[in-house]
Amino acid sequence: MTKSLVRPADIYLRFLQLAEALRGLPSLPVLDPLEERILAFVAVNAQARDRLSVRDMMAKAEFGSPATVHSRLKSMREKGWLMLADTDDTRRKQVELTQAALLHFDKLSTCLVNAARG
């Protein structure tokens, strides 16, 4: 009996299915596509130990106008995905993931591992 070949695309598509199933679980409120991109950007920078301020985020043209970014950050804070931490300069706040957001990434990681296992 031969084992069927699994294409890399099949693994990725299985991951997408598993990740989509997470959306149905009771956890944090759903993010819109722009908020998902912002969350991923914050997470990648946190992983690299890069600090991001609200001003840094508002300067990212790929996320839209500063007003759009500011409103999305506010929305994501209200939904429980992000928090703002104080710095030495009280006028400047650092954007950080909440513990709930970190748990969400843990679940996505599990989905990826399970998809690769088949």
Side-chain angles (χ1 to χ4, degrees):
M1 184 164 143
T2 62
K3 187 176 181 181
S4 63
L5 295 176
V6 176
R7 295 178 26 222
D10 294 333
I11 295 170
Y12 181 70
L13 295 172
R14 176 75 178 137
F15 163 71
L16 291 179
Q17 289 174 332
L18 294 170
E20 185 63 30
L22 285 180
R23 292 176 196 249
L25 298 177
S27 60
L28 293 173
V30 176
L31 298 173
D32 69 32
L34 177 57
E35 290 171 339
E36 286 184 9
R37 287 182 40 223
I38 290 171
L39 185 69
F41 182 80
V42 172
V44 167
N45 280 273
Q47 182 71 22
R49 305 229 186 265
D50 291 337
R51 296 177 59 151
L52 286 173
S53 69
V54 172
R55 180 176 288 178
D56 295 334
M57 292 297 299
M58 290 172 53
K60 295 292 180 189
E62 64 262 33
F63 298 135
S65 71
T68 297
V69 174
H70 190 269
S71 69
R72 288 308 201 288
L73 291 175
K74 181 180 178 185
S75 169
M76 294 171 75
R77 284 179 53 220
E78 291 169 354
K79 291 177 181 179
W81 290 96
L82 297 177
M83 63 183 171
L84 299 182
D86 291 327
T87 64
D88 294 335
D89 181 352
T90 57
R91 298 169 296 169
R92 213 169 151 91
K93 302 288 185 186
Q94 294 302 127
V95 180
E96 297 179 354
L97 298 173
T98 62
Q99 189 63 34
L102 291 169
L103 289 172
H104 173 73
F105 283 113
D106 288 344
K107 291 175 188 175
L108 283 176
S109 177
T110 300
C111 290
L112 184 59
V113 169
N114 289 339
R117 286 185 186 149

